[in-house]
């Protein structure tokens, strides 16, 4: 069953670039373009107040390019319309969410709020430090079987994080699990999620019945869940699947506002679909490992389409995440061959 057949989409189309659409009392939807296959991101403006006067809170910033800056200028002129911006909440450090954080703060005087792990990850990614250097990524992929033309293409690719996040603030205020943020006289509770990013903040308002899910729950695709070079033995898929259960307890009528795709109702159904999707992929990988397989060997099992270099980067991390979970569950055994490549076989 497809997401379209089981989910309810209250809006059939997004707002045009630079325009906003109200989706709940005090909650406005903005869509910004992205320069890759996942060609858009949804951002959210919440009506707020400062010292008893109207103000705004912004959720995520978009990527750090001139097109997005130009669209933000229109939003600030026409929707924000001279009101102060109290805060910018960044759900996680990925460039489509954090890219213009510094520019928006300088432009509006807003305070930056985000989870601590995400704040430090943004700086580490920009600096290529703390294990985030791209050479370490390539070396990890080579240890997991990437070779030949694909390895050459990956070696030629460099991190573009700094281009897409041209600056990042030097101070912030920390978001933590369970925090209650008072925004516009309503409480928004922070619900942390893991696996897609180190410490992804979703926001839930019980009064409105609205979940700003970020990348944790998307209506049509499953968010990327990858092993990263700074945690090469990580088990992010287990963390992600466990995080999904946190959202499953929210009311069935919850309006979910994702970072990609259309707002929808049917959160519990979508979580069940996502869990089933990963269960099927895990079972397929288990079957494929009748003989020893490296992560690079199972890309065709997980991804039934031609991958460009950008997609190959995420596909390798995701293949590793699935293999790591199967190993932790005892369904696969791991070995390192004389060539130094990590391979897995059915236990």
């Amino acid at each position: 069953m497809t997401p379209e057949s089981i989910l309810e989409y209250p809006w059939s189309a997004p707002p045009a670039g630079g325009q906003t659409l109200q989706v709940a009392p005090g909650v406005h939807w903005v869509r910004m373009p992205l320069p890759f296959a996942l060609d858009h991101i949804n951002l959210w403006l919440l009506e707020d107040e400062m010292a008893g006067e109207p103000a705004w809170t912004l959720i995520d910033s978009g990527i750090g390019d001139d097109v997005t800056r130009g669209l933000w200028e229109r939003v600030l002129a026409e929707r924000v319309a001279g009101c102060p911006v109290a805060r910018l909440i960044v759900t996680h450090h990925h460039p489509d969410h954090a890219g213009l954080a510094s520019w928006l703060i300088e432009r509006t005087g807003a305070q930056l709020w985000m989870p601590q792990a995400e704040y430090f990850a943004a700086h580490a990614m920009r600096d290529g430090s703390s294990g985030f250097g791209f050479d370490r990524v390539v070396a990890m992929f080579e240890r997991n079987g990437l070779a030949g033309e694909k390895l050459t293409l990956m070696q030629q690719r460099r991190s573009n994080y700094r281009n897409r996040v041209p600056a990042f603030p030097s101070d912030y205020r920390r978001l933590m699990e369970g925090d209650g943020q008072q925004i516009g006289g309503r409480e928004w509770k922070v619900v942390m999620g893991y696996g897609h990013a180190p410490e992804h903040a979703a926001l839930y308002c019980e009064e409105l019945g609205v979940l700003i899910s970020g990348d944790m729950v998307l209506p049509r695709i499953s968010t990327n869940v990858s092993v990263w070079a700074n945690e090469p033995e990580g088990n992010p898929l287990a963390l992600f699947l466990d995080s999904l259960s946190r959202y499953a307890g929210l009311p069935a009528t919850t309006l979910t506002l994702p970072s990609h795709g259309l707002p929808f109702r049917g959160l519990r159904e979508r979580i069940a679909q996502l869990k089933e999707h990963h269960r099927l992929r895990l079972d397929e990988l288990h079957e494929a490992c009748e003989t020893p397989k490296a992560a690079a060997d199972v890309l065709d099992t997980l991804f039934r389409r031609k991958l460009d270099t950008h997609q190959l980067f995420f596909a390798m991390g995701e293949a590793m995440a699935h293999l790591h979970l199967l190993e932790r569950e005892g369904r696969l055994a791991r070995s390192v061959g004389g060539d130094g490549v990590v391979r897995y076989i059915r236990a």
Side-chain angles (χ1 to χ4, degrees):
M1 185 174 291
T2 64
E4 288 78 4
S5 65
I6 198 170
L7 304 182
E8 174 192 344
Y9 295 97
W11 296 271
S12 60
Q19 298 183 4
T20 63
L21 177 64
Q22 183 164 303
V23 295
V27 181
H28 303 260
W29 175 16
V30 180
R31 177 167 284 196
M32 298 292 186
L34 295 174
F36 34 82
L38 187 58
D39 62 3
H40 70 274
I41 181 171
N42 300 322
L43 312 176
W44 312 99
L45 279 64
L46 307 184
E47 295 177 21
D48 204 350
E49 57 184 37
M50 289 177 64
E53 297 295 326
W56 291 90
T57 283
L58 314 179
I59 311 294
D60 285 334
S61 71
I63 206 163
D65 61 16
D66 290 339
V67 171
T68 308
R69 287 187 193 91
L71 292 172
W72 263 120
E73 290 287 9
R74 181 174 177 183
V75 171
L76 293 173
E78 297 180 5
R79 170 55 65 186
V80 176
C83 289
V85 177
R87 70 199 115 184
L88 167 64
I89 294 175
V90 173
T91 58
H92 60 298
H93 76 279
H94 293 165
D96 49 336
H97 298 260
L100 277 185
S102 191
W103 179 83
L104 275 170
I105 286 167
E106 292 174 2
R107 176 72 174 73
T108 66
Q111 290 184 332
L112 172 64
W113 289 73
M114 66 188 302
Q116 186 177 74
E118 301 300 326
Y119 175 78
F120 287 121
H123 281 289
M125 286 288 288
R126 291 193 75 255
D127 295 340
S129 61
S130 303
F132 283 103
F134 201 76
D135 290 344
R136 289 180 57 88
V137 176
V138 173
M140 180 181 73
F141 288 169
E142 189 172 10
R143 288 195 305 273
N144 283 271
L146 199 66
E149 181 184 3
K150 290 180 178 178
L151 178 61
T152 300
L153 289 172
M154 193 61 62
Q155 288 169 334
Q156 294 170 349
R157 184 183 190 270
R158 307 312 301 166
S159 172
N160 53 20
Y161 189 90
R162 199 177 184 92
N163 292 332
R164 292 171 172 171
V165 187
F168 204 72
S170 57
D171 61 82
Y172 76 113
R173 297 190 65 173
R174 185 178 181 181
L175 291 178
M176 298 180 68
E177 167 69 27
D179 279 353
Q181 293 285 312
Q182 291 295 321
I183 303 175
R186 299 183 177 94
E187 182 172 84
W188 290 79
K189 183 179 179 181
V190 176
V191 186
M192 290 300 184
Y194 305 91
H196 173 65
E199 196 179 16
H200 180 300
L203 296 162
Y204 174 65
C205 179
E206 182 177 9
E207 179 182 340
L208 294 176
V210 170
L211 172 69
I212 298 177
S213 65
D215 282 348
M216 290 301 296
V217 186
L218 303 176
R220 298 190 62 183
I221 60 175
S222 175
T223 194
N224 179 259
V225 180
S226 284
V227 173
W228 291 90
N230 64 322
E231 194 182 358
E233 301 303 324
N235 191 8
L237 185 54
L239 295 174
F240 176 73
L241 295 173
D242 179 67
S243 296
L244 288 180
S245 299
R246 298 173 175 223
Y247 312 119
L250 297 179
T253 55
T254 296
L255 175 65
T256 301
L257 307 181
S259 291
H260 309 285
L262 298 173
F264 67 95
R265 286 191 172 89
L267 176 62
R268 294 176 182 177
E269 291 82 359
R270 183 57 181 149
I271 287 170
Q273 287 178 336
L274 290 168
K275 288 186 173 184
E276 177 66 4
H277 165 81
H278 286 289
R279 185 192 69 79
L280 292 172
R281 293 296 176 270
L282 289 164
D283 286 349
E284 288 173 342
L285 281 186
H286 183 250
E287 288 300 312
C289 290
E290 182 178 6
T291 57
K293 296 287 196 307
D297 300 328
V298 298
L299 293 178
D300 290 342
T301 302
L302 281 178
F303 304 96
R304 299 174 179 86
R305 64 184 186 277
K306 183 175 176 58
L307 301 172
D308 61 26
T309 306
H310 178 77
Q311 293 165 334
L312 177 63
F313 173 82
F314 292 104
M316 277 296 296
E318 188 135 352
M320 291 174 62
H322 283 74
L323 291 167
H324 284 195
L325 178 55
L326 286 169
E327 184 204 4
R328 301 301 198 280
E329 291 180 340
R331 298 173 66 188
L332 294 180
R334 169 178 164 165
S335 63
V336 180
D339 55 1
V341 172
V342 178
R343 293 181 176 86
Y344 300 84
I345 191 170
R346 272 190 261 167

